[in-house]
Amino acid sequence: MKPLVLDGSNLTVADLVSVAREGRRVEIAPEALERVRAASAFLHRIAEAGTPKVYGLNTGVGINKDQAVTAEHYIEYNQNMLRVHCVGVPPYATEAQTRAVMTAKLHSLLGGHVGMKPDLVLLYRDFLNEGIHPLIPLRGSVGEADITSLSHLGMALLGEGEAVYRGRTVPVAEALGKAGLTPGTLGPRDGLALVSSNALGAALGALVLEEFRALVDTADLAYALTLEGFRGNVSPLDPATFRVRPYRGGIASMEHARQLLEGSYLWETPAELQDPLSLRCSVHVHGAVRDALDHAEALLSVQLNGCDENPVVLVEEGRLVPCGNFEPLNWVLPFETLGVAAGHLSQTSVRRTLRLGSPRFTGLPRFLNPREGICHAFGVIQKTFTTLDAEIHHLAHPLSWDTTPLSEDQEDRGCNTPYVMLNLGRILDNLAYILGMEFLHAAQAVDLRRPPRLGRGTEAAHRRFRESVPFLDTDRELSRDIREARRLVASRELLAAAREALGSPEGR
């Protein structure tokens, strides 16, 4: 994979994920590095002159903005600022999360509106390329800049703290030595520049966004296999109905389901006039989630390619402007909407699964029982997936407004941004379990029905599922099956099997 060239203005979610999850190397565009040097030089000229007043440069921060910082104390003040903000608590970010944070932070510096020393900017690149992953605590940020977490990353650039390096947790200084790197040094205002960013929240958001997209594709696949086990009506997949109400997300899920079901017996089999709403409306529900994901990604992309610094350095205009660019609500609100969207996706999957267990709808044995009167089959499992669904609905409640005014009421806003993203991650984990249990039911229904042909995509996914989870021919402990079904969903193995059968890595 070619290195990703960061230029300060063209970072996509997919690019960030490739660095975070696949270990892709990064380079800095020469023109971006030149902007960094120009902004740093501009800031240093003000530092040397001692005027005008610049927040965090020759003044304190927060309520201490009324306190002066003199030139002889610049370095000490910035070091103290970093240390005092190191108050985050575990759990620590995973390596993928850490790489995402460093990439987001590095890219935000390359627009030339921050004024950080170039050697510190280059160290972000070197940490990524050498695989030095500082321990970043995930809790402690109120989400109005992630200062309590990013301070730990800032200290690592100075050679302090711990990092995961080559599979071991070691002192950062040791990792730097083995990688042949030199710790950075602080200049005027670098302490604030290192911590004043929403990079943690944005990075976590990008990762859950990519995970959610894969789950929606998997939900399409679960629905398609459920439809075959149900012997459902395919008329809701008629493209003509979408021409008169052309929501892009709904069209995408409809087309995906049709591809997955290509060649299925359903297209030639008489069916009930109308199925329950959970089946009839599935691609519309999935499509609404897709539209919400697109909206969230569009606004997150503005964040990833913008500057959330305060004040903003405007070199060409020769000024620094105090501002509220660190306010993340524009893109946090759509992510809270994604929690609600996940609740609808979960609810629809749960109700499809319940319908599969009802002979009134399917004509199959109750609870998909292979030996009625002897086995219990899939009756009790309903308690598990409905409980996880209820948990999703509670987790989807808004979190962004539940903050407390701090710093003598100077800092009286917050969005709990990292918490919102981590909470969405918990929701998606529940959703993976729920979709896995739908696959358990759908595969059992297909095997009991024994249709003449499955779709190209659903047949491949069914075959891969049965390689890991056998047909339920008698009662057994289902917790193991549930865990394995969830793993197949979360690892995207079922989706990969279907995509391979369709001849497209994206299944489209």
Side-chain angles (χ1 to χ4, degrees):
M1 184 182 295
K2 291 183 179 179
L4 174 64
V5 179
L6 300 174
D7 62 4
S9 59
N10 292 289
L11 179 65
T12 67
V13 168
D15 287 335
L16 188 146
V17 171
S18 71
V19 176
R21 296 199 193 280
E22 301 171 39
R24 187 177 182 184
R25 295 177 65 84
V26 299
E27 295 177 356
I28 298 175
E31 64 274 15
L33 191 57
E34 184 54 39
R35 287 194 296 268
V36 169
R37 291 193 175 104
S40 178
F42 176 75
L43 203 63
H44 275 71
R45 287 195 293 271
I46 294 176
E48 291 171 4
T51 186
K53 284 187 176 181
V54 175
Y55 180 77
L57 171 63
N58 46 27
T59 76
V61 298
I63 194 63
N64 292 327
K65 67 184 188 299
D66 58 348
Q67 297 179 358
V69 178
T70 55
E72 65 268 24
H73 296 301
Y74 282 158
I75 304 304
E76 181 183 7
Y77 176 79
N78 279 270
Q79 289 175 336
N80 288 340
M81 181 186 297
L82 279 179
R83 290 193 173 97
V84 78
H85 282 93
C86 284
V87 294
V89 297
Y92 294 105
T94 65
E95 289 190 35
Q97 290 170 335
T98 300
R99 292 182 64 80
V101 172
M102 288 194 290
T103 305
K105 177 61 178 174
L106 169 58
H107 197 254
S108 72
L109 298 169
L110 299 182
H113 300 297
V114 177
M116 186 182 291
K117 284 178 60 180
D119 70 304
L120 292 173
V121 175
L122 292 170
L123 266 179
Y124 279 109
R125 177 202 63 187
D126 295 339
F127 270 50
L128 283 165
N129 291 342
E130 295 298 328
I132 301 173
H133 304 133
L135 296 185
I136 303 175
L138 291 174
R139 294 189 294 169
S141 170
V142 299
E144 201 86 356
D146 302 318
I147 59 178
T148 58
S149 297
L150 295 182
S151 54
H152 295 263
L153 175 56
M155 292 305 299
L157 295 179
L158 305 184
E160 299 187 25
E162 293 183 310
V164 177
Y165 180 64
R166 297 180 180 176
R168 294 193 308 118
T169 300
V170 300
V172 171
E174 178 181 331
L176 287 170
K178 290 182 176 179
L181 299 176
T182 302
T185 57
L186 293 175
R189 204 178 169 280
D190 282 336
L192 183 60
L194 285 167
V195 305
S196 182
S197 166
N198 290 286
L200 173 60
L204 296 176
L207 293 176
V208 295
L209 198 67
E210 188 266 348
E211 182 183 350
F212 204 164
R213 286 197 182 278
L215 283 176
V216 178
D217 283 348
T218 304
D220 287 346
L221 178 57
Y223 157 70
L225 189 62
T226 288
L227 204 62
E228 290 181 309
F230 195 86
R231 198 176 64 190
N233 193 322
V234 292
S235 66
L237 302 180
D238 189 327
T241 65
F242 288 84
R243 287 199 293 271
V244 300
R245 201 181 77 134
Y247 285 109
R248 288 186 300 176
I251 291 172
S253 276
M254 175 272 292
E255 291 177 344
H256 190 205
R258 288 180 66 89
Q259 287 181 333
L260 293 165
L261 290 169
E262 182 183 331
S264 173
Y265 82 103
L266 289 177
W267 301 106
E268 304 165 1
T269 301
E272 292 288 337
L273 179 61
Q274 293 195 99
D275 292 331
L277 295 181
S278 57
L279 280 86
R280 204 184 333 155
C281 299
S282 281
V283 291
H284 294 278
V285 174
H286 298 185
V289 177
R290 290 183 185 278
D291 288 337
L293 286 165
D294 287 345
H295 180 58
E297 182 165 351
L299 293 180
L300 178 61
S301 294
V302 175
Q303 167 67 24
L304 292 175
N305 291 287
C307 174
D308 55 4
E309 179 69 356
N310 170 47
V312 170
V313 177
L314 301 172
V315 176
E316 293 182 356
E317 298 181 27
R319 61 193 185 114
L320 295 96
V321 183
C323 65
N325 277 13
F326 49 82
E327 171 61 62
L329 189 61
N330 302 73
W331 51 276
V332 173
L333 279 179
F335 275 87
E336 294 218 288
T337 299
L338 290 182
V340 176
H344 282 283
L345 197 65
S346 168
Q347 180 195 75
T348 306
S349 174
V350 162
R351 293 182 183 178
R352 288 194 303 255
T353 306
L354 290 170
R355 299 299 86 80
L356 279 172
S358 173
R360 179 162 60 97
F361 290 105
T362 65
L364 297 173
R366 180 175 292 120
F367 306 142
L368 303 175
N369 198 326
R371 303 168 69 199
E372 290 187 287
I374 299 174
C375 294
H376 298 271
F378 291 145
V380 182
I381 196 176
Q382 294 179 352
K383 302 179 188 301
T384 303
F385 59 76
T386 56
T387 296
L388 292 178
D389 180 53
E391 187 174 312
I392 286 176
H393 297 158
H394 284 279
L395 290 171
H397 288 183
L399 303 171
S400 61
W401 57 31
D402 192 11
T403 61
T404 302
L406 304 172
S407 191
E408 289 191 23
D409 295 338
Q410 174 73 10
E411 299 170 1
D412 57 354
R413 280 254 340 129
C415 285
N416 288 324
T417 312
Y419 183 30
V420 170
M421 307 307 161
L422 293 168
N423 188 67
L424 184 54
R426 290 178 59 193
I427 288 173
L428 297 185
D429 186 59
N430 276 20
L431 182 57
Y433 272 109
I434 287 167
L435 290 173
M437 283 181 270
E438 182 176 359
F439 275 108
L440 276 173
H441 286 70
Q444 184 82 358
V446 163
D447 290 343
L448 289 172
R449 192 175 296 283
R450 298 183 181 179
R453 293 179 315 282
L454 298 180
R456 278 205 302 148
T458 51
E459 194 280 331
H462 177 269
R463 183 171 58 249
R464 176 64 193 90
F465 189 81
R466 281 291 177 241
E467 289 173 0
S468 297
V469 183
F471 174 73
L472 186 75
D473 56 359
T474 189
D475 285 336
R476 61 176 181 255
E477 180 188 334
L478 286 178
S479 288
R480 296 177 182 176
D481 291 15
I482 293 169
R483 291 194 298 271
E484 181 61 14
R486 181 260 175 205
R487 188 193 68 79
L488 290 169
V489 168
S491 67
R492 308 178 194 180
E493 292 179 34
L494 301 178
L495 193 58
R499 287 173 172 175
E500 183 178 358
L502 295 173
S504 169
E506 296 300 325
R508 301 287 167 81

